[in-house]
Amino acid sequence: MDDFISFVPPDVTVHYGWIVLVIGTDETDPEYFQCLVSTPLALEEALCRSKDCLVHIVERYEPANILSTLIARVENSKGNTWIEIVDQLRTFMRWERG
């Protein structure tokens, strides 16, 4: 994670990339969620390379801000069961069973 946070793209206004979050509870094995994050100027290329996906649009590709936003969205996902939470997470990330 430190490598991601310290990464600075050549142009923070024209960049995209995949982020993998490992999420789980004490009762479940870790689950893998993928997020495509793109700036508006890189969106066309990102979509050409990654069909059928959800994209998070950011004005500037700044990893620390991206990560804190994604963590906040995960922490705000609530449900009575893990599957209910996963269903919420799947609205903005791809889910890969662990």
Side-chain angles (χ1 to χ4, degrees):
M1 180 164 45
D2 290 337
D3 289 342
F4 174 71
I5 291 174
S6 63
F7 173 71
V8 178
D11 184 342
V12 296
T13 64
V14 185
H15 194 77
Y16 72 93
W18 282 97
I19 299 167
V20 177
L21 298 176
V22 181
I23 304 169
T25 67
D26 292 338
E27 296 82 36
T28 65
D29 289 330
E31 304 285 350
Y32 298 87
F33 293 84
Q34 295 181 341
C35 307
L36 178 59
V37 177
S38 178
T39 64
L41 295 174
L43 186 58
E44 185 176 343
E45 183 179 351
L47 292 175
C48 284
R49 295 176 183 242
S50 305
K51 302 288 184 198
D52 300 323
C53 62
L54 301 169
V55 183
H56 295 278
I57 308 295
V58 294
E59 288 299 316
R60 299 172 56 84
Y61 197 92
E62 297 171 329
N65 292 339
I66 292 167
L67 188 58
S68 66
T69 299
L70 291 174
I71 288 171
R73 287 196 70 182
V74 169
E75 289 175 344
N76 288 323
S77 298
K78 306 285 186 229
N80 293 320
T81 66
W82 174 238
I83 292 301
E84 288 178 7
I85 295 169
V86 167
D87 286 343
Q88 290 178 34
L89 297 175
R90 290 177 64 197
T91 64
F92 64 97
M93 295 188 284
R94 281 187 185 169
W95 179 35
E96 294 185 12
R97 279 191 92 69

